Amino acid sequence: MPSVTKIIHFFLSALLTAISVGLLGFAMSDDWSRTTMDCRGFIINNGSAEITLGLFNGLLVRQTCPSFGNYKDFSVFTELSVIKGASLALHALCVALLVLCLLFSALSILISLYNSVSNPYQTYMGPIGVYTCSSISACLSLLVIILFVLNINVTDMQEQLVPQIGSIDTENLELSNKKSTMLVGYFMLIPYTVLSLGAILAIYLYDHAAYMHRREQEKPTEDAPKEIMMY
């Protein structure tokens, strides 16, 4: 049976990771970005288009672009599969990395709970397993943060989605002044990453304390009184 200290630290690690999984699940179901663009058509020269993107669903709002107001829900992967190219690849990569984040976080929870009720050896089922799984989750989430912003701001994904979803003649349409804003779903990756690192810290503090305790027990005899060492 593990000590009370070990139970507390590993259970805390499992709790932090479980909270991070809940945040990531919420993030994957919420909106990630909103982009607005000025729209110039062949007849009407002042309009706008606003496209809100989640990981799986989106919403296009057009104001005189080129026709009057129009709202249309769409499936992100369905529309991106028509465009193909870098936009689809980056978006699919982000989703795949987030799925891996969930997987490694789940493994981290299982290993932490296992250590809170047993005393496994220092293998992948011990602190090393938590370090590995939680650090991979944190690194992958940081990579998603970078890739998603690049896909939104560097590629022309939105400029291609607006005429495609709205069934607009691209020859009579000019989109300009693109402005993108990251939304709640995207920012939820930050606390997810922080909590994953917090789970690592909880295990590290226990591991370090246990190491120092072992060192104290294995203290060399040179610390003993000289009179005793003479015999």
Side-chain angles (χ1 to χ4, degrees), residues 209-220 223:
Y211 171 75
M212 296 303 295
H213 180 68
R214 289 194 299 269
R215 287 288 300 272
E216 286 293 329
Q217 291 182 329
E218 299 170 358
K219 219 169 188 181
D223 292 339

Side-chain angles (χ1 to χ4, degrees), residues 6-107:
K6 183 178 182 182
I7 293 174
I8 292 174
H9 280 266
F10 276 92
F11 184 78
L12 177 60
S13 175
L15 179 62
L16 291 175
T17 307
I19 295 173
S20 72
V21 169
L23 291 176
L24 183 57
F26 172 77
M28 294 180 70
S29 65
D30 205 2
D31 296 329
W32 280 50
S33 70
R34 178 176 294 116
T35 301
T36 58
M37 290 167 282
D38 293 335
C39 179
R40 289 176 174 268
F42 181 75
I43 300 176
I44 301 176
N45 293 323
N46 56 341
S48 65
E50 178 183 278
I51 186 167
T52 302
L53 286 177
L55 292 179
F56 305 102
N57 298 300
L59 173 66
L60 172 63
V61 180
R62 293 187 290 118
Q63 299 293 336
T64 61
C65 181
S67 58
F68 291 99
N70 180 276
Y71 296 78
K72 187 170 183 179
D73 295 307
F74 62 93
S75 170
V76 175
F77 275 102
T78 300
E79 300 299 336
L80 287 180
S81 63
V82 178
I83 297 175
K84 299 180 180 179
S87 299
L88 175 60
L90 287 174
H91 193 81
L93 181 58
C94 286
V95 174
L97 292 177
L98 291 176
V99 172
L100 289 177
C101 285
L102 291 174
L103 174 62
F104 282 105
S105 291
L107 289 175

